[in-house]
Short mmCIF file of all heavy atoms in Angstrom, two decimals:
data_model
loop_
_atom_site.label_atom_id
_atom_site.label_comp_id
_atom_site.label_asym_id
_atom_site.label_seq_id
_atom_site.Cartn_x
_atom_site.Cartn_y
_atom_site.Cartn_z
N GLU A 337 -38.72 85.85 -80.90
CA GLU A 337 -38.94 87.25 -81.25
C GLU A 337 -40.26 87.73 -80.64
O GLU A 337 -41.28 87.03 -80.71
CB GLU A 337 -39.00 87.40 -82.77
CG GLU A 337 -39.33 88.82 -83.25
CD GLU A 337 -39.56 88.88 -84.75
OE1 GLU A 337 -38.90 88.13 -85.46
OE2 GLU A 337 -40.40 89.68 -85.19
N SER A 338 -40.23 88.92 -80.03
CA SER A 338 -41.44 89.61 -79.56
C SER A 338 -42.25 88.75 -78.58
O SER A 338 -43.47 88.66 -78.68
CB SER A 338 -42.30 90.04 -80.75
OG SER A 338 -41.57 90.90 -81.60
N ILE A 339 -41.55 88.12 -77.64
CA ILE A 339 -42.19 87.30 -76.60
C ILE A 339 -41.66 87.75 -75.24
O ILE A 339 -40.49 88.11 -75.10
CB ILE A 339 -41.88 85.81 -76.80
CG1 ILE A 339 -42.45 85.31 -78.13
CG2 ILE A 339 -42.41 84.95 -75.66
CD1 ILE A 339 -42.09 83.87 -78.47
N ALA A 366 -30.73 83.00 -79.71
CA ALA A 366 -30.92 84.40 -80.09
C ALA A 366 -32.28 84.89 -79.62
O ALA A 366 -33.30 84.21 -79.81
CB ALA A 366 -30.79 84.58 -81.60
N THR A 378 -32.83 86.34 -63.11
CA THR A 378 -33.81 86.34 -64.20
C THR A 378 -33.35 85.51 -65.39
O THR A 378 -34.10 84.68 -65.91
CB THR A 378 -34.08 87.79 -64.65
OG1 THR A 378 -34.54 88.55 -63.54
CG2 THR A 378 -35.11 87.84 -65.76
N TRP A 379 -32.14 85.75 -65.85
CA TRP A 379 -31.64 85.07 -67.06
C TRP A 379 -30.35 84.36 -66.73
O TRP A 379 -29.33 85.00 -66.44
CB TRP A 379 -31.42 86.08 -68.18
CG TRP A 379 -30.93 85.49 -69.48
CD1 TRP A 379 -30.94 84.17 -69.86
CD2 TRP A 379 -30.33 86.20 -70.57
NE1 TRP A 379 -30.40 84.02 -71.12
CE2 TRP A 379 -30.03 85.25 -71.58
CE3 TRP A 379 -30.06 87.54 -70.80
CZ2 TRP A 379 -29.43 85.60 -72.77
CZ3 TRP A 379 -29.46 87.90 -72.00
CH2 TRP A 379 -29.15 86.94 -72.98
N GLU A 385 -18.72 76.60 -71.64
CA GLU A 385 -17.82 77.70 -71.99
C GLU A 385 -17.83 78.03 -73.47
O GLU A 385 -17.51 79.16 -73.86
CB GLU A 385 -16.38 77.36 -71.55
CG GLU A 385 -16.19 77.29 -70.05
CD GLU A 385 -14.74 77.10 -69.67
OE1 GLU A 385 -13.88 77.16 -70.57
OE2 GLU A 385 -14.47 76.91 -68.48
N TYR A 438 -19.29 88.31 -71.07
CA TYR A 438 -20.45 89.17 -71.29
C TYR A 438 -20.00 90.47 -71.95
O TYR A 438 -19.21 91.23 -71.38
CB TYR A 438 -21.12 89.51 -69.97
CG TYR A 438 -21.90 88.38 -69.32
CD1 TYR A 438 -22.54 88.58 -68.09
CD2 TYR A 438 -22.02 87.13 -69.92
CE1 TYR A 438 -23.27 87.57 -67.49
CE2 TYR A 438 -22.74 86.11 -69.33
CZ TYR A 438 -23.36 86.33 -68.10
OH TYR A 438 -24.09 85.33 -67.51
N SER A 451 -34.76 101.97 -57.34
CA SER A 451 -33.41 101.72 -57.86
C SER A 451 -32.58 102.99 -57.99
O SER A 451 -31.41 102.93 -58.33
CB SER A 451 -33.51 101.03 -59.23
OG SER A 451 -33.98 101.94 -60.21
N LEU A 476 -29.45 105.76 -66.95
CA LEU A 476 -30.55 106.66 -66.62
C LEU A 476 -30.85 106.72 -65.12
O LEU A 476 -31.66 107.53 -64.69
CB LEU A 476 -31.82 106.22 -67.36
CG LEU A 476 -31.72 106.21 -68.89
CD1 LEU A 476 -33.05 105.81 -69.51
CD2 LEU A 476 -31.28 107.58 -69.42
N ALA A 492 -11.54 88.42 -64.35
CA ALA A 492 -10.46 88.63 -65.31
C ALA A 492 -10.53 90.06 -65.84
O ALA A 492 -9.50 90.72 -66.01
CB ALA A 492 -10.59 87.63 -66.46
N SER A 499 -19.34 105.10 -70.82
CA SER A 499 -20.65 105.20 -70.17
C SER A 499 -21.03 106.67 -70.05
O SER A 499 -20.18 107.53 -69.78
CB SER A 499 -20.59 104.57 -68.78
OG SER A 499 -20.26 103.20 -68.86
N TYR A 503 -28.00 112.90 -70.53
CA TYR A 503 -27.74 114.09 -71.34
C TYR A 503 -26.55 113.90 -72.27
O TYR A 503 -26.14 114.85 -72.96
CB TYR A 503 -27.50 115.29 -70.43
CG TYR A 503 -28.63 115.52 -69.45
CD1 TYR A 503 -28.47 115.23 -68.10
CD2 TYR A 503 -29.87 115.99 -69.89
CE1 TYR A 503 -29.52 115.41 -67.20
CE2 TYR A 503 -30.92 116.18 -68.99
CZ TYR A 503 -30.74 115.89 -67.65
OH TYR A 503 -31.77 116.07 -66.77
N SER A 510 -13.45 107.20 -62.51
CA SER A 510 -12.19 107.17 -61.75
C SER A 510 -12.28 106.35 -60.47
O SER A 510 -11.26 105.89 -59.96
CB SER A 510 -11.75 108.60 -61.42
OG SER A 510 -12.71 109.24 -60.60
N ALA A 529 -7.11 90.65 -54.63
CA ALA A 529 -6.37 90.67 -55.89
C ALA A 529 -6.88 91.82 -56.75
O ALA A 529 -8.00 92.29 -56.57
CB ALA A 529 -6.52 89.35 -56.63
N THR A 561 -32.07 88.95 -87.25
CA THR A 561 -32.97 89.90 -86.58
C THR A 561 -33.13 91.21 -87.32
O THR A 561 -33.89 92.08 -86.88
CB THR A 561 -32.46 90.19 -85.16
OG1 THR A 561 -31.14 90.76 -85.23
CG2 THR A 561 -32.39 88.93 -84.33
N LEU A 576 -58.84 93.47 -104.77
CA LEU A 576 -57.57 92.78 -104.92
C LEU A 576 -56.45 93.61 -104.29
O LEU A 576 -56.26 94.77 -104.65
CB LEU A 576 -57.27 92.53 -106.39
CG LEU A 576 -55.99 91.73 -106.67
CD1 LEU A 576 -56.14 90.29 -106.18
CD2 LEU A 576 -55.66 91.75 -108.16
N ILE A 589 -47.08 88.55 -94.38
CA ILE A 589 -48.23 88.58 -93.46
C ILE A 589 -49.11 89.75 -93.87
O ILE A 589 -48.63 90.88 -94.04
CB ILE A 589 -47.78 88.75 -92.00
CG1 ILE A 589 -46.79 87.65 -91.61
CG2 ILE A 589 -48.98 88.71 -91.06
CD1 ILE A 589 -46.19 87.83 -90.23
N ALA A 618 -43.22 91.72 -94.98
CA ALA A 618 -42.44 90.58 -95.46
C ALA A 618 -41.88 89.81 -94.27
O ALA A 618 -41.67 90.37 -93.19
CB ALA A 618 -41.31 91.07 -96.36
N VAL A 624 -38.67 86.31 -89.11
CA VAL A 624 -38.64 87.66 -88.55
C VAL A 624 -39.50 88.59 -89.39
O VAL A 624 -39.36 88.64 -90.62
CB VAL A 624 -37.18 88.17 -88.48
CG1 VAL A 624 -37.15 89.60 -87.96
CG2 VAL A 624 -36.35 87.27 -87.58
N ALA A 629 -45.87 97.88 -94.75
CA ALA A 629 -46.34 98.79 -95.80
C ALA A 629 -47.85 98.85 -95.68
O ALA A 629 -48.52 97.82 -95.55
CB ALA A 629 -45.96 98.27 -97.18
#
Side-chain angles (χ1 to χ4, degrees):
E337 176 187 327
S338 301
I339 297 175
T378 303
W379 181 16
E385 293 186 8
Y438 287 179
S451 71
L476 301 182
S499 299
Y503 305 107
S510 62
T561 60
L576 184 67
I589 304 174
V624 177

